[in-house]
Amino acid sequence: MTDLALAIVHHLLVFGLAAVLAAELALMRPAAISPQTVRLLGRFDAAYGLLALAILAAGFIRVWYGAKGADFYLANHAFWAKIIAFGIVGLLSIEPTRRIAAWQKGTKADAAFVPPLAEIGRLRRLLLIEIHVFALIPIFAAAMARGVGHTAG
Ligand code: HEM
Protein backbone atom coordinates (compact mmCIF):
# COMPACT_ATOMS: atom_id res chain seq x y z
CA MET A 1 0.00 0.00 0.00
CA THR A 2 2.82 2.42 0.92
CA ASP A 3 4.56 1.55 -2.35
CA LEU A 4 1.39 2.22 -4.37
CA ALA A 5 0.74 5.54 -2.58
CA LEU A 6 4.34 6.64 -3.13
CA ALA A 7 4.20 5.66 -6.82
CA ILE A 8 0.96 7.66 -7.30
CA VAL A 9 2.39 10.75 -5.56
CA HIS A 10 5.66 10.44 -7.52
CA HIS A 11 3.85 10.25 -10.87
CA LEU A 12 1.49 13.15 -10.10
CA LEU A 13 4.40 15.36 -9.04
CA VAL A 14 6.42 14.40 -12.12
CA PHE A 15 3.53 15.23 -14.48
CA GLY A 16 3.03 18.49 -12.57
CA LEU A 17 6.67 19.42 -13.12
CA ALA A 18 6.46 18.56 -16.82
CA ALA A 19 3.34 20.75 -17.13
CA VAL A 20 5.04 23.68 -15.39
CA LEU A 21 8.11 23.37 -17.62
CA ALA A 22 5.91 23.34 -20.73
CA ALA A 23 3.99 26.39 -19.46
CA GLU A 24 7.23 28.27 -18.80
CA LEU A 25 8.45 27.45 -22.31
CA ALA A 26 5.17 28.66 -23.83
CA LEU A 27 5.42 31.97 -21.94
CA MET A 28 9.14 32.46 -22.57
CA ARG A 29 8.81 33.94 -26.07
CA PRO A 30 9.51 37.50 -27.14
CA ALA A 31 6.03 37.65 -28.74
CA ALA A 32 4.30 36.41 -25.55
CA ILE A 33 6.14 38.51 -22.99
CA SER A 34 4.27 41.25 -21.12
CA PRO A 35 4.21 42.45 -17.48
CA GLN A 36 1.38 39.92 -16.83
CA THR A 37 3.41 37.09 -18.39
CA VAL A 38 6.39 38.03 -16.23
CA ARG A 39 4.20 37.74 -13.12
CA LEU A 40 2.85 34.39 -14.31
CA LEU A 41 6.39 33.15 -14.97
CA GLY A 42 7.24 34.07 -11.36
CA ARG A 43 4.35 31.94 -10.08
CA PHE A 44 5.18 29.01 -12.34
CA ASP A 45 8.81 29.16 -11.31
CA ALA A 46 7.87 29.07 -7.62
CA ALA A 47 5.65 26.03 -8.33
CA TYR A 48 8.54 24.48 -10.26
CA GLY A 49 10.87 24.80 -7.25
CA LEU A 50 8.32 23.32 -4.84
CA LEU A 51 7.50 20.43 -7.20
CA ALA A 52 11.20 19.65 -7.73
CA LEU A 53 11.79 19.51 -3.96
CA ALA A 54 8.69 17.34 -3.48
CA ILE A 55 9.84 14.95 -6.24
CA LEU A 56 13.26 14.67 -4.64
CA ALA A 57 11.66 13.88 -1.26
CA ALA A 58 9.09 11.43 -2.74
CA GLY A 59 11.81 9.81 -4.86
CA PHE A 60 14.16 9.17 -1.93
CA ILE A 61 11.25 7.95 0.22
CA ARG A 62 10.49 5.47 -2.58
CA VAL A 63 14.12 4.35 -2.57
CA TRP A 64 14.10 3.66 1.17
CA TYR A 65 10.47 2.62 1.81
CA GLY A 66 9.41 1.26 -1.59
CA ALA A 67 8.71 -2.44 -2.16
CA LYS A 68 12.12 -3.28 -3.69
CA GLY A 69 14.41 -1.94 -0.95
CA ALA A 70 17.19 0.67 -1.25
CA ASP A 71 19.91 -1.78 -2.42
CA PHE A 72 17.93 -2.50 -5.59
CA TYR A 73 18.34 1.14 -6.67
CA LEU A 74 21.66 2.14 -5.12
CA ALA A 75 23.43 -0.67 -7.01
CA ASN A 76 21.94 0.37 -10.34
CA HIS A 77 23.71 2.61 -12.88
CA ALA A 78 20.37 3.68 -14.38
CA PHE A 79 19.33 5.02 -10.94
CA TRP A 80 22.48 7.13 -10.70
CA ALA A 81 22.10 8.28 -14.32
CA LYS A 82 18.58 9.40 -13.38
CA ILE A 83 19.86 11.30 -10.34
CA ILE A 84 22.60 12.96 -12.42
CA ALA A 85 20.07 13.96 -15.11
CA PHE A 86 17.81 15.36 -12.35
CA GLY A 87 20.80 17.30 -10.98
CA ILE A 88 21.65 18.70 -14.44
CA VAL A 89 18.03 19.83 -14.89
CA GLY A 90 18.30 21.54 -11.49
CA LEU A 91 21.56 23.27 -12.43
CA LEU A 92 20.15 24.40 -15.79
CA SER A 93 17.17 25.93 -14.00
CA ILE A 94 19.28 28.19 -11.74
CA GLU A 95 19.82 30.92 -14.35
CA PRO A 96 16.16 31.11 -15.53
CA THR A 97 15.06 31.22 -11.86
CA ARG A 98 17.47 34.06 -11.10
CA ARG A 99 16.46 36.08 -14.15
CA ILE A 100 12.73 35.48 -13.56
CA ALA A 101 13.19 36.68 -9.95
CA ALA A 102 15.02 39.79 -11.24
CA TRP A 103 12.16 40.43 -13.69
CA GLN A 104 9.68 40.26 -10.79
CA LYS A 105 11.60 43.08 -9.14
CA GLY A 106 11.55 44.95 -12.46
CA THR A 107 7.74 44.71 -12.71
CA LYS A 108 7.38 45.82 -9.07
CA ALA A 109 9.53 48.89 -9.67
CA ASP A 110 7.95 49.72 -13.04
CA ALA A 111 4.51 48.35 -14.00
CA ALA A 112 5.39 48.54 -17.72
CA PHE A 113 8.71 46.67 -17.34
CA VAL A 114 9.41 44.12 -20.09
CA PRO A 115 12.61 42.01 -20.05
CA PRO A 116 15.20 42.50 -22.84
CA LEU A 117 14.34 40.33 -25.88
CA ALA A 118 17.87 38.87 -26.09
CA GLU A 119 17.57 37.64 -22.51
CA ILE A 120 14.22 35.97 -23.25
CA GLY A 121 15.80 34.16 -26.21
CA ARG A 122 18.73 32.99 -24.09
CA LEU A 123 16.47 31.67 -21.33
CA ARG A 124 14.21 29.99 -23.90
CA ARG A 125 17.23 28.08 -25.24
CA LEU A 126 18.18 27.08 -21.68
CA LEU A 127 14.62 25.87 -21.02
CA LEU A 128 14.70 23.81 -24.22
CA ILE A 129 17.94 22.12 -23.17
CA GLU A 130 16.42 21.55 -19.72
CA ILE A 131 13.33 19.87 -21.25
CA HIS A 132 15.50 17.58 -23.37
CA VAL A 133 17.58 16.47 -20.37
CA PHE A 134 14.32 16.08 -18.42
CA ALA A 135 13.09 13.67 -21.13
CA LEU A 136 16.01 11.35 -20.32
CA ILE A 137 14.78 10.89 -16.74
CA PRO A 138 11.75 8.64 -17.46
CA ILE A 139 13.98 6.58 -19.80
CA PHE A 140 16.43 5.94 -16.96
CA ALA A 141 13.47 5.42 -14.57
CA ALA A 142 11.96 2.68 -16.75
CA ALA A 143 15.38 0.95 -17.02
CA MET A 144 16.08 1.11 -13.28
CA ALA A 145 12.57 -0.12 -12.37
CA ARG A 146 13.31 -3.27 -14.39
CA GLY A 147 16.77 -3.81 -12.98
CA VAL A 148 18.47 -2.80 -16.27
CA GLY A 149 21.83 -1.29 -15.33
CA HIS A 150 22.14 -3.33 -12.17
CA THR A 151 25.77 -3.87 -11.21
CA ALA A 152 26.92 -7.46 -10.86
CA GLY A 153 27.63 -8.89 -7.41
C1 HEM B 1 11.78 14.86 -12.51
C2 HEM B 1 12.37 13.85 -12.00
C3 HEM B 1 11.83 12.44 -12.07
C4 HEM B 1 11.10 11.83 -13.05
C5 HEM B 1 10.64 12.41 -14.38
C6 HEM B 1 10.85 10.49 -12.61
C7 HEM B 1 10.14 9.54 -13.33
C8 HEM B 1 9.84 8.28 -12.89
C9 HEM B 1 9.03 7.31 -13.59
C10 HEM B 1 8.37 7.54 -14.95
C11 HEM B 1 8.99 6.19 -12.84
C12 HEM B 1 8.26 4.89 -13.17
C13 HEM B 1 9.24 3.89 -13.76
C14 HEM B 1 8.55 2.60 -14.16
O1 HEM B 1 7.87 2.00 -13.31
O2 HEM B 1 8.70 2.16 -15.31
C15 HEM B 1 9.76 6.45 -11.64
C16 HEM B 1 9.94 5.56 -10.63
C17 HEM B 1 10.76 5.76 -9.54
N1 HEM B 1 11.49 6.90 -9.26
FE1 HEM B 1 11.44 8.63 -10.28
N2 HEM B 1 11.45 10.32 -11.39
C18 HEM B 1 12.05 11.50 -11.04
C19 HEM B 1 12.78 11.75 -9.90
C20 HEM B 1 13.15 10.80 -8.99
C21 HEM B 1 14.09 10.97 -7.91
C22 HEM B 1 14.83 12.29 -7.62
C23 HEM B 1 14.19 9.77 -7.27
C24 HEM B 1 15.03 9.35 -6.12
C25 HEM B 1 15.84 10.06 -5.47
C26 HEM B 1 13.29 8.86 -7.90
C27 HEM B 1 13.07 7.55 -7.50
C28 HEM B 1 12.21 6.67 -8.11
C29 HEM B 1 11.94 5.33 -7.62
C30 HEM B 1 12.53 4.68 -6.39
C31 HEM B 1 11.03 4.75 -8.51
C32 HEM B 1 10.41 3.36 -8.42
C33 HEM B 1 10.96 2.43 -9.48
C34 HEM B 1 10.38 1.03 -9.32
O3 HEM B 1 9.18 0.84 -9.55
O4 HEM B 1 11.14 0.15 -8.94
N3 HEM B 1 12.69 9.51 -8.95
N4 HEM B 1 10.28 7.72 -11.70
Side-chain angles (χ1 to χ4, degrees), residues 3 16 25 36 38 87 102 117 137 148:
D3 190 62
L25 185 72
Q36 287 86 344
V38 169
L117 296 189
I137 300 178
V148 178

Side-chain angles (χ1 to χ4, degrees), residues 10-11 14 17 55-56 59-60 62-63 68 72-73 79 82-83 86 134 137-138 141-142 144-146:
H10 190 64
H11 277 89
V14 162
L17 192 77
I55 289 174
L56 203 58
F60 273 106
R62 283 191 88 179
V63 170
K68 294 174 185 164
F72 177 84
Y73 303 108
F79 169 75
K82 184 181 171 188
I83 297 299
F86 186 76
F134 180 88
I137 300 178
M144 91 183 181
R146 284 151 192 84

